[in-house]
Amino acid sequence: MNRSTVTALAVSSALALALTACGGEDGGDAGGDAGGGATGGEAGGLTGTGTGEDCTIEEPVPVGAALSLTGAAASYGESQQKGLELAAAELAEVGGVTYDLVIEDDQTDPRQGITVFEQLTEDSSVVIGPTLSNGAFQAQPIAQEAGVPVLAISNTAAGITAQGDYIFRVSLTEAQVIPQTVAKATEAYGLEDVVVMYSNDDAFTESGYEVFSSALEEEGVTVSETLTFSKADTDFRALLTEAKAAEPDALVVSGLIEAAIPLVTQARELGIDVPIIGGNGFNNPKLMADGGDAAEGVVVGAAWNSSSEGELNTAFIEAFEAEHGAQPDQFAAQAYTGLKVIDAAVRAGCSGEREDIKAGLAGIADVDTVLGTLSINAERDAEHEAVVQVVENGSFTVLD
Amino acid sequence: MSQAVLVFVALNAILAFSFYAVLVAGQLSLGQAGFGALGAFTAVALAPEPSEVGDVPALLVAILIGMVVGALAAVLLGLPTMHLRGVFLAIATLGFAEAVRILLINAEWTGGANGMSVPKVVTPLIAWVALAVVAYWFWRQGPSSYGRALAAIREDELAARAMGIDVGRHRLSAFVTAGAVAGLYGVLWAYFVRLLAPEDFDFTRAIDGLVTAVVGGSTMWLGPLLGSGFLTLVPEVQRALGVEAGWIRPFIASALLLVVIVFLPGGLGSFLPRVRVRARPTASGAGTDRPGLVARTHAAAGEPVVRIVGGNKDYGGVHAVRDVDLTVGSGEVVGLIGPNGAGKTTLVNMISGLVPASSGTFEVLGTRPGRTPVHRIARAGVSRTFQHSKLFPRLTALENVLVGAHVVSRPTFLRRLLWLPGARRDEAVVVDHAAGCLARVGLADRSSVDASALSYGDQRRLEIARALASDPSLLILDEPAAGMNNVEADALSELIASLADEGLTILLIEHNVGMVMKTCHRIVVLNFGEVIATGTPEEILKNPAVVEAYLGSDGDSPPGTPHTQEAR
């Protein structure tokens, strides 16, 4: 094939693509309109008959989810996708109400996040929120303005639900988990003096640091040193040497998992044997997988622990392992819970209409979930008990 | 197409334009993310709330602040980095952008990594109006004398300098334009996405902008828009086609990107026809007293144009030029001959200011080459050709000559922006003048051919036309007949003779002794960097030292036989 043929081929395929694109866009719009019509439809449609378990809705309730399946937050997004799909499959078996779950990828890019959200709000009765908090701040207002309820399943930053009365979340905030973690750890290890380290270029870890610092103050623990690093850093030896010199009772670290693993490993190498208390970023099985023995003694507060008691949790873990051949993590558990909570909200009013789901979510109280007994409070944030875990023999166990 | 897609096509195109702004001048900068971030954060912090003064006024104030801050940041970064080239400039500007990001993350007033919350004001209409203004700017810039100067710098910086273009100033102004456009992007971004976070102005964003500009075509004003349309729509198309979300989508997008880059090196813009400047068929000769051209005053006949006393140039231990005294009077045609390596080109490089002298006094048309920047010497009236052609390869023959006319053309860019009739008239005058110069060297019918596509002999003649276009007081021709056949060389001799008749001062380096003898009033012979003889052609032919050193003592081909004396 000579060069001009190749060029012609490339050009024509690009053109073909562009043409299909136009067609596709039109088709998408038309579909969106049709969906909107169905959503607004009075007869049959998304309003059902019966209540609670007996509720029957004729059409599947459209649920959109914007997750970071590729890009920087892909590891979280993939877990969430697995959790959601598992929940959707289980709900389909229950019957009565079915869900048409559409999962879209925001590529961990705000531009994609906004675009995807705009599209999902057109077609869905409820949208399951973006993986990362910053993305949520940028995308959620679109749903708020369109009057579509949003359920955040992993965002822990403050102010997420303050963006509007259509925004709910099932994930615990750092402000809910960290004080419990600090209190439990202070009690268990008799902490008096700690060194705090955090990455100051990430919204999540920075707000985590703020909560840590007020919780430590509350517990009367002295912070002898505060050290900052970047989320992209991998060498913490200099900082850790400085930290070690302060002879703390514990290291308190607010960082993402990418920093957590080298930080913990290097701390142990330098002979820092005190407990390391981490934020939600540390709540990842990778810590033990990649950190090995170094991870022993890391204390992490979490919304969910695999060893938590309860039938629901055991069944969830079994089903997840059967499906994916691996243990679920908290992101999967929260995503799984998210769809289950939506189901509870839909069944409460036996309607898949946006306003009814909104009312249903606001009324969620004492629902049994894999995260524990969950309620949604007046600020539209979830409330349930956090678990304080410590790494022992290579796995997260509940710290008593 | 959804609202967000429309807005992002426009915003990505504006970001790409901020890269285009410097790519047209051959600069690779990655600092735009930093300019955009600084502009956006400052604007959001200082501009009034939209709820108080209304959406559009607040946005306009924010845009003004953002663009000014972006431009100022570009000046501050540009002053110390403008002497850097290629990848070095890229790294320096990248370092700047990274420093800005770190600064913003650690500053109190920016909200750190959590960013600032911004009301959403930007609509698709606003975004596209902003894009249209930016695109309009670059559309009008392209064929102006300013735009051509930037293109010339991109194509060959040294030649651009020798054509009287102040390269430093032009590069800086391109850089400042990039800063202002990046600031505009930052503000529009902030007022659309609602949360302004430093992470949105990171390295990846800079690369996005660069890739968009290059995919679209970095020498064509619509390129950034094409690139943005393509890259923004690829994910949308895939979504519409139902390609499953996940790794496969970025994979397809990257593969398409690869296809475009491999098969369309000029970017998507190469699908569009290139607008070439055309000469008007009515164009008359190369008269330089046209209204609309900057009038130049030439030295009166006999006044010294070049005065060198004790000129020396050493390269390490090598004395390329030794104690040369040379005076050239106005209207004189002086030939500079000598064997290869005698120092002829070094001498004219010192005269035109490209190479500083090691010692000695140089005065050329009231300037001091070596101390005066090259473009000022060109502005004073020195014009030259190069031993090895230094044309602007991707510009047409006519455009090359138009660049040569830089110092006599009036700036038209600002008037073009406002569609003032004077701009069009002035452009037409310069085009006529350039076409006249082309006609003078016999290239009238090749005016719309790219310089790189011309034959070797035509390229040499084009260089002469380009040098003539500046209406010089002193024309330096460095081996203009090299590679020409006899017929062409004869035509060139006639051209030089006719130029001399018009009173132009010419310094001619040439190995074609016949041509030198025929056209020069006076000949200076260099050997090993020293002047070994000077005098009229007849005197030189009889000078035994010259015959020994250069012309050759072998009696078979007596010196002076045209065309044959090539001392190789």
Side-chain angles (χ1 to χ4, degrees):
Chain A
M1 207 153 50
N2 66 29
R3 195 187 164 85
S4 62
T5 323
V6 176
T7 313
L9 202 69
V11 169
S12 55
S13 48
L15 270 178
L17 194 70
L19 290 174
T20 5
C22 300
E25 285 295 332
D26 290 343
D29 279 348
D33 289 342
T39 313
E42 291 297 316
L46 287 171
T47 41
T49 52
T51 51
E53 289 180 9
D54 307 324
C55 168
T56 310
I57 301 177
E58 218 168 279
E59 287 188 19
V61 178
V63 177
L67 306 177
S68 303
L69 299 179
T70 54
S75 62
Y76 311 127
E78 282 170 14
S79 276
Q80 294 179 316
Q81 184 181 21
K82 290 173 185 166
L84 282 181
E85 282 170 353
L86 180 63
E90 288 182 13
L91 289 171
E93 280 179 23
V94 174
V97 185
T98 53
Y99 295 92
D100 181 9
L101 176 66
V102 176
I103 297 178
E104 269 301 340
D105 179 18
D106 70 14
Q107 298 178 16
T108 329
D109 175 349
R111 290 171 288 191
Q112 285 295 307
I114 289 170
T115 313
V116 162
F117 237 74
E118 205 169 74
Q119 195 192 337
L120 289 178
T121 52
E122 260 176 39
D123 305 340
S124 314
S125 288
V126 55
V127 179
I128 293 177
T131 303
L132 296 185
S133 293
N134 268 3
F137 282 120
Q138 290 166 330
Q140 283 176 170
I142 294 165
Q144 170 70 27
E145 279 164 16
V148 181
V150 174
L151 187 64
I153 51 174
S154 55
N155 304 326
T156 53
I160 292 282
T161 51
Q163 276 199 311
D165 58 348
Y166 283 83
I167 320 289
F168 299 84
R169 71 171 141 195
V170 293
S171 45
L172 289 183
T173 63
E174 289 282 79
Q176 290 168 303
V177 177
I178 286 174
Q180 295 188 44
T181 317
V182 171
K184 203 78 164 259
T186 309
E187 190 193 319
Y189 300 110
L191 305 180
E192 286 177 3
D193 198 321
V194 296
V195 168
V196 176
M197 299 173 73
Y198 74 103
S199 65
N200 64 346
D201 53 354
D202 181 83
F204 169 71
T205 58
E206 193 174 21
S207 71
Y209 156 73
E210 280 155 17
V211 183
F212 263 123
S213 109
S214 65
L216 287 166
E217 202 182 314
E218 190 113 316
E219 294 293 325
V221 180
T222 319
V223 176
S224 53
E225 197 104 46
T226 302
L227 306 168
T228 60
F229 55 90
S230 157
K231 62 178 167 184
D233 283 352
T234 51
D235 187 350
F236 302 94
R237 291 182 180 87
L239 289 177
L240 288 167
T241 308
E242 207 176 318
K244 192 185 176 191
E247 295 183 0
D249 296 332
L251 283 187
V252 173
V253 184
S254 181
L256 297 175
I257 185 67
E258 289 79 8
I261 294 164
L263 192 150
V264 167
T265 318
Q266 290 162 19
R268 298 310 189 210
E269 277 169 19
L270 289 172
I272 302 177
D273 295 324
V274 295
I276 298 176
I277 302 168
N280 198 26
F282 279 52
N283 186 24
N284 190 318
K286 268 192 195 163
L287 185 66
M288 288 81 84
D290 297 355
D293 286 347
E296 295 291 307
V298 171
V299 177
V300 185
W304 175 82
N305 180 284
S306 60
S307 61
S308 289
E309 318 238 313
E311 266 177 53
L312 273 177
N313 203 28
T314 324
F316 163 64
I317 293 170
E318 264 175 28
F320 193 94
E321 280 184 337
E323 182 76 25
H324 300 292
Q327 280 242 334
D329 60 8
Q330 181 181 306
F331 287 94
Q334 286 178 323
Y336 177 86
T337 306
L339 198 56
K340 290 293 177 87
V341 166
I342 287 174
D343 182 54
V346 168
R347 285 176 188 274
C350 197
S351 161
E353 296 289 347
R354 292 166 175 179
E355 288 301 321
D356 297 324
I357 294 180
K358 181 192 170 215
L361 284 172
I364 292 288
D366 299 328
V367 175
D368 278 332
T369 70
V370 296
L371 305 177
T373 308
L374 187 144
S375 302
I376 285 182
N377 64 20
E379 276 79 49
R380 298 176 298 283
D381 281 328
E383 281 183 359
H384 67 84
E385 205 174 328
V387 202
V388 180
Q389 329 168 94
V390 61
V391 178
E392 268 180 23
N393 302 323
S395 63
F396 284 125
T397 53
V398 178
L399 176 68
D400 291 312
Chain B
M1 227 187 279
S2 71
Q3 194 201 27
V5 175
L6 280 172
V7 171
F8 285 130
V9 169
L11 291 192
N12 293 343
I14 292 174
L15 178 64
F17 268 116
S18 76
F19 284 85
Y20 173 88
V22 282
L23 285 173
V24 287
Q27 289 166 288
L28 178 57
S29 157
L30 294 173
Q32 283 85 336
F35 304 145
L38 280 177
F41 275 95
T42 320
V44 170
L46 299 182
E49 287 290 320
S51 54
E52 285 167 18
V53 297
D55 285 359
V56 174
L59 183 65
L60 287 177
V61 174
I63 286 175
L64 185 68
I65 297 173
M67 291 182 74
V68 168
V69 170
L72 284 178
V75 173
L76 287 181
L77 175 63
L79 288 175
T81 58
M82 271 305 98
H83 64 282
L84 298 176
R85 299 289 179 267
V87 75
F88 297 100
L89 179 66
I91 291 169
T93 50
L94 179 62
F96 164 81
E98 208 40 29
V100 165
R101 198 175 63 83
I102 302 288
L103 186 79
L104 293 174
I105 281 173
N106 287 286
E108 284 287 323
W109 61 276
T110 59
N114 289 312
M116 296 166 103
S117 160
V118 188
K120 182 187 160 195
V121 172
V122 173
T123 60
L125 179 68
I126 293 177
W128 278 82
V129 167
L131 171 63
V133 171
V134 173
Y136 176 78
W137 177 279
F138 288 106
W139 172 47
R140 301 308 289 167
Q141 175 185 301
S144 70
S145 57
Y146 172 68
R148 271 195 303 271
L150 294 181
I153 293 168
R154 178 190 71 220
E155 296 293 312
D156 192 318
E157 196 178 313
L158 189 68
R161 256 180 231 281
M163 295 302 125
I165 294 168
D166 184 345
V167 170
R169 199 174 63 82
H170 277 80
R171 282 170 56 104
L172 187 62
S173 58
F175 204 57
V176 169
T177 311
V181 175
L184 170 67
Y185 165 78
V187 172
L188 292 174
W189 168 268
Y191 281 87
F192 182 70
V193 302
R194 294 189 169 95
L195 178 75
L196 178 60
E199 67 185 24
D200 291 336
F201 296 91
D202 59 1
F203 175 64
T204 334
R205 188 57 56 93
I207 294 298
D208 273 2
L210 178 66
V211 168
T212 310
V214 172
V215 163
S218 54
T219 56
M220 203 278 166
W221 67 275
L222 266 178
L225 177 56
L226 295 177
S228 166
F230 176 72
L231 292 174
T232 312
L233 291 180
V234 164
E236 300 309 312
V237 170
Q238 296 194 41
R239 200 172 293 141
L241 291 178
V243 178
E244 197 187 336
W247 65 272
I248 190 94
R249 287 196 198 159
F251 177 78
I252 293 176
S254 313
L256 280 173
L257 183 64
L258 192 65
V259 168
V260 171
I261 293 290
V262 169
F263 295 108
L264 292 172
L268 296 169
S270 41
F271 282 129
L272 300 175
R274 192 170 132 206
V275 181
R276 292 184 164 89
V277 187
R278 298 214 169 269
R280 292 189 300 184
T282 54
S284 49
T288 48
D289 49 352
R290 298 164 192 273
L293 285 186
V294 176
R296 305 185 62 135
T297 42
H298 298 289
E303 272 182 38
V305 169
V306 178
R307 201 172 67 82
I308 304 172
V309 181
N312 274 289
K313 181 67 196 180
D314 303 335
Y315 290 106
V318 181
H319 302 290
V321 173
R322 271 193 241 198
D323 292 326
V324 169
D325 298 331
L326 175 67
T327 305
V328 180
S330 183
E332 240 188 320
V333 179
V334 176
L336 203 51
I337 62 172
N340 283 335
K344 305 181 296 294
T345 295
T346 306
L347 186 61
V348 297
N349 279 348
M350 288 193 285
I351 293 171
S352 55
L354 294 176
V355 170
S358 302
S359 66
T361 311
F362 283 72
E363 272 179 37
V364 177
L365 293 165
T367 64
R368 305 294 296 270
R371 290 187 213 159
T372 314
V374 176
H375 68 269
R376 293 246 189 87
I377 295 168
R379 285 201 170 265
V382 178
S383 191
R384 65 170 296 175
T385 67
F386 293 87
Q387 187 176 9
H388 304 289
S389 288
K390 290 182 84 63
L391 291 164
F392 309 117
R394 286 185 291 179
L395 303 188
T396 63
L398 184 63
E399 286 164 343
N400 266 275
V401 182
L402 285 169
V403 173
H406 182 78
V407 296
V408 291
S409 11
R410 292 186 182 162
T412 51
F413 176 38
L414 293 178
R415 284 181 292 157
R416 277 178 61 84
L417 277 180
L418 300 173
W419 287 91
L420 295 182
R424 181 176 280 258
R425 209 162 45 228
D426 284 358
E427 284 288 329
V429 168
V430 179
V431 169
D432 284 352
H433 167 63
C437 294
L438 273 180
R440 184 125 199 215
V441 299
L443 285 176
D445 54 337
R446 310 285 283 158
S447 70
S448 56
V449 178
D450 277 358
S452 55
L454 291 174
S455 71
Y456 188 74
D458 284 354
Q459 290 190 359
R460 309 291 322 190
R461 288 193 284 166
L462 177 55
E463 268 217 334
I464 298 170
R466 185 178 69 177
L468 282 177
S470 68
D471 184 19
S473 299
L474 169 65
L475 177 64
I476 300 173
L477 300 172
D478 196 349
E479 298 192 27
M484 284 188 178
N485 61 33
N486 293 347
V487 180
E488 288 173 325
D490 283 344
L492 183 62
S493 295
E494 278 165 30
L495 172 66
I496 294 173
S498 75
L499 291 171
D501 289 345
E502 288 167 20
L504 182 59
T505 317
I506 299 172
L507 194 53
L508 171 68
I509 298 181
E510 189 46 68
H511 284 301
N512 185 329
V513 176
M515 180 191 278
V516 176
M517 296 298 161
K518 205 160 33 169
T519 53
C520 294
H521 305 142
R522 188 155 63 95
I523 292 173
V524 176
V525 188
L526 280 179
N527 195 22
F528 294 111
E530 287 177 300
V531 177
I532 56 167
T534 173
T536 62
E538 294 73 30
E539 289 166 358
I540 292 300
L541 282 179
K542 288 177 202 145
N543 188 316
V546 178
V547 173
E548 173 71 27
Y550 180 60
L551 299 177
S553 49
D554 132 14
D556 292 343
S557 57
T561 310
H563 322 312
T564 52
Q565 289 303 323
E566 297 271 314
R568 300 270 176 213

